[in-house]
Amino acid sequence: MSVPTSPDAPVPPAPSAPSSPGAPRGSAPSLTSVFVRLKLSLLRNGLRQSGGRRAAYIASAVLVLLFAALQLVGLIALRGYAHVDALVVLLTAVLAVGWAVMPLFFPGGDETLDPTRLVMLPLRPGPLVRALLTSSLVGIGPLFTLCLFAGSVVAVAHGGAAYVVGVAGALLALLVCVTLARAVAAANVRLLTSRRGRDLAVLSGLVVAIGAQLVNFGAQRLGASGLGELDPVADVLRWVPPASAVGAMDAASDGAYGVAVAQLALTAAALVLLLRVWARHLTRLMTAPDGSTIQGDTGAVRERGSAGPARWLPAGRTGTTMERTLRYVWRDPKTKAAWVTSLAVGLIVPVFNAWQGTGSVYFACFAAGMLGIQMYNQFGQDTSAFWMVAMTISSTRDAYLELRARALALLLITLPYATLVTVLTTAMLGDWRTLPEALGLSFALLGAMLATGAWTSARFPYSVPQEGYKNVAPGQVGLAWISIFGGMAGAALLCAPVIGLTVWLHVGGAGEWGRLLLPVGAVYGAALTLLGLRLAAPRTARRLPEILTAVSKG
């Protein structure tokens, strides 16, 4: 018996036949191919954001590839030279160290280094490691590394067996470098994505500066003594992965096939170990909660102000301003970066020149000059928060106390540091007779830069953007140049009397009176500092609205 239906009633769909177990299904793309396409999409979309970013990437890529090509040609040209095997082993070890530390200093350079973005996806560690490892091989860094290893194979390998070992060793070394970088990033990803972790990038300038000086010093030694100087270090590094993979090429070329196999096996074991470490850290990241999801003890309140070294500071406005300035040095990323760079360069220039035997005690004045720059643009370092300071300045006396406290905070670091660098440089050169002269010049230069820095801070203030890598707000570049370089020129002129007195004592044969330059320079520098503060205070009090407008543009 049929039930009548309305012509407008919807007709139910016919039931589909159940699919048989052997029926073919649509195959999903592999996880590895998805991650490779994701890496390419991130790169492509990043270049589309702005023309400046695209130009910077293309320029950096061209420079890196050019350097890689020159390096490849240079290694090929060294084929047949003695001790070339020690050179390529050392280059591989240095390159591996670079792969290990770059994620710590530049965590934002590769967006795929942060696996916490994948925690909500149903991915198992094994396939995830394979996919991330494959996608990590896409980029300029792996290509540069591959060019170095390819040149190493051509420079070291002799014979068919050596070339086979070389190709296998180059691939293993490349995988070890990439896996090492990924394992380090995964182990420190919680730190790298925090504020303190991002501050690690501040140390990159220090590492680059020291590394450049070490490379320069090493190149000079090699130019004088030849590549044979590298043999003792290379004999040790050729058993340390991934340099052991490159050492296997030389062993195979000499017919030591057992040694070559052992070195390749050591590199493969290191790769497996790094993969396991990486997978374990990925599992922990995908399953364990981070600190942001764990409720802390809100009842515990730490006492501030009188605790720690701050209790040794003077009372009143002076101590408060000094503590605020020192906190900026320790906690503000831009201020910390400037201080770390100045401290590093101020030490590296005199010490490395003394180490090479080409320096002078007077090079120690470089430390006072680099640290004195931190007095420039004092109010711009506060950015928009300067309005809170401006509300406390109602007279020339208030402005003088503010500037004096900031100068005293800087002197807490700059004065002992400049003294330490000068003494260290003198000790390395063994020229203790000129120590008082160098200290006197350093103190005079420091006082002159504090004086000109206070005045230019009031006369040419500019804003320091808190985001990005720019240190000057748009439209204020001219102010920054006038403030810094004009102030430095003024400081040089103010130091002219002490410099002239030093030259006159040496030319006139009165070098024994050079010890008087220490008290003369100290008193002269202190007088310049007080004079600069006195001249800058009334200008600061009068121009508070203009200063506040200038430093708030970022």
Side-chain angles (χ1 to χ4, degrees):
M1 180 178 177
S2 61
V3 179
T5 59
S6 168
D8 297 330
V11 179
S16 58
S19 59
S20 61
R25 289 186 174 182
S27 60
S30 67
L31 186 62
T32 301
S33 63
V34 170
F35 270 70
V36 171
R37 292 200 302 270
L38 176 63
K39 179 70 173 288
L40 295 175
S41 298
L42 288 173
L43 178 61
R44 183 173 59 252
N45 293 336
L47 296 178
R48 289 177 177 174
Q49 289 183 2
S50 65
R53 181 170 181 174
R54 187 184 308 111
Y57 181 83
I58 294 175
S60 61
V62 170
L63 290 177
V64 170
L65 293 178
L66 179 62
F67 185 72
L70 293 176
Q71 182 178 245
L72 176 62
V73 173
L75 288 174
I76 294 175
L78 288 175
R79 177 179 173 84
Y81 279 76
H83 311 291
V84 66
D85 56 318
L87 175 64
V88 297
V89 166
L90 184 63
L91 286 177
T92 303
V94 172
L95 189 63
V97 173
W99 273 96
V101 301
M102 283 302 106
L104 298 177
F105 294 145
F106 303 101
D110 187 355
E111 295 164 331
T112 62
L113 284 175
D114 185 6
T116 57
R117 303 184 181 189
L118 309 173
V119 294
M120 301 301 294
L121 300 178
L123 301 174
R124 300 183 66 84
L128 183 60
V129 166
R130 290 193 295 270
L132 287 175
L133 179 59
T134 305
S135 62
S136 300
L137 296 174
V138 178
I140 301 176
L143 180 59
F144 175 84
T145 306
L146 188 61
C147 289
L148 185 143
F149 292 151
S152 301
V153 173
V154 177
V156 175
H158 297 279
Y163 274 103
V164 173
V165 173
V167 171
L171 294 178
L172 279 175
L174 176 61
L175 292 176
V176 168
C177 289
V178 176
T179 307
L180 177 62
R182 284 291 184 170
V184 170
N188 298 277
V189 67
R190 300 293 190 195
L191 173 66
L192 297 178
T193 53
S194 64
R195 181 185 65 84
R196 291 186 180 274
R198 287 191 294 268
D199 288 348
L200 282 174
V202 172
L203 299 178
S204 60
L206 176 62
V207 172
V208 171
I210 295 178
Q213 290 294 332
L214 288 175
V215 170
N216 181 36
F217 181 72
Q220 292 182 2
R221 291 288 301 272
L222 290 178
S225 305
L227 295 178
E229 292 284 332
L230 302 177
D231 285 342
V233 180
D235 290 339
V236 177
L237 292 179
R238 67 178 68 248
W239 290 99
V240 178
S244 56
V246 179
M249 309 178 199
D250 183 56
S253 299
D254 295 337
Y257 300 114
V259 175
V261 171
Q263 290 173 327
L264 286 180
L266 182 61
T267 309
L271 176 60
V272 173
L273 179 61
L274 287 173
L275 289 173
R276 289 185 178 274
V277 172
W278 184 15
R280 186 173 71 249
H281 284 296
L282 282 179
T283 303
R284 185 179 305 169
L285 288 172
M286 305 289 271
T287 57
D290 60 358
S292 62
T293 61
I294 301 176
Q295 185 176 2
D297 185 9
T298 57
V301 179
R302 291 187 299 174
E303 298 261 344
R304 294 184 182 269
S306 60
R311 67 178 182 272
W312 300 102
L313 298 177
R317 183 189 186 107
T318 299
T320 303
T321 303
M322 291 177 67
E323 183 178 1
R324 183 182 69 242
T325 303
L326 294 174
R327 284 186 182 275
Y328 280 163
V329 173
W330 181 251
R331 302 186 65 177
D332 180 64
K334 289 292 182 69
T335 307
K336 183 187 293 186
W339 272 92
V340 169
T341 303
S342 297
L343 290 171
V345 176
L347 175 66
I348 288 172
V349 170
V351 168
F352 270 81
N353 278 279
W355 188 15
Q356 298 176 21
T358 58
S360 169
V361 175
Y362 300 107
F363 280 10
C365 296
F366 208 84
M370 290 299 300
L371 295 177
I373 294 176
Q374 304 309 315
M375 187 63 187
Y376 291 77
N377 195 35
Q378 276 293 305
F379 307 128
Q381 298 174 10
D382 298 350
T383 61
S384 58
F386 178 69
W387 72 270
M388 301 179 65
V389 178
M391 292 179 63
T392 66
I393 299 177
S394 58
S395 63
T396 301
R397 175 66 178 173
D398 292 337
Y400 174 76
L401 292 177
E402 177 72 23
L403 289 170
R404 188 187 66 177
R406 291 175 182 245
L408 289 174
L410 266 65
L411 284 174
L412 284 180
I413 303 175
T414 56
L415 195 59
Y417 189 80
T419 304
L420 176 63
V421 171
T422 306
V423 173
L424 179 60
T425 306
T426 305
M428 296 180 67
L429 293 173
D431 190 8
W432 294 102
R433 183 180 59 84
T434 57
L435 175 61
E437 302 176 11
L439 282 175
L441 285 174
S442 295
F443 295 157
L445 177 60
L446 183 58
M449 299 201 72
L450 291 178
T452 56
W455 191 85
T456 56
S457 294
R459 181 62 182 86
F460 303 107
Y462 58 91
S463 179
V464 179
Q466 293 301 296
E467 301 295 333
Y469 296 97
K470 294 182 179 180
N471 291 321
V472 182
Q476 294 184 326
V477 177
L479 284 174
W481 278 82
I482 295 175
S483 174
I484 297 176
F485 291 99
M488 292 172 64
L493 291 176
L494 291 176
C495 287
V498 181
I499 298 175
L501 178 60
T502 305
V503 174
W504 180 77
L505 289 176
H506 282 274
V507 173
E512 65 275 5
W513 294 95
R515 63 177 63 93
L516 295 179
L517 285 173
L518 176 56
V520 169
V523 173
Y524 184 72
L528 287 179
T529 302
L530 292 175
L531 178 62
L533 295 176
R534 291 291 183 184
L535 294 177
R539 183 175 293 273
T540 301
R542 290 195 308 266
R543 301 188 71 247
L544 273 180
E546 292 88 344
I547 295 174
L548 183 59
T549 301
V551 302
S552 301
K553 288 186 177 182

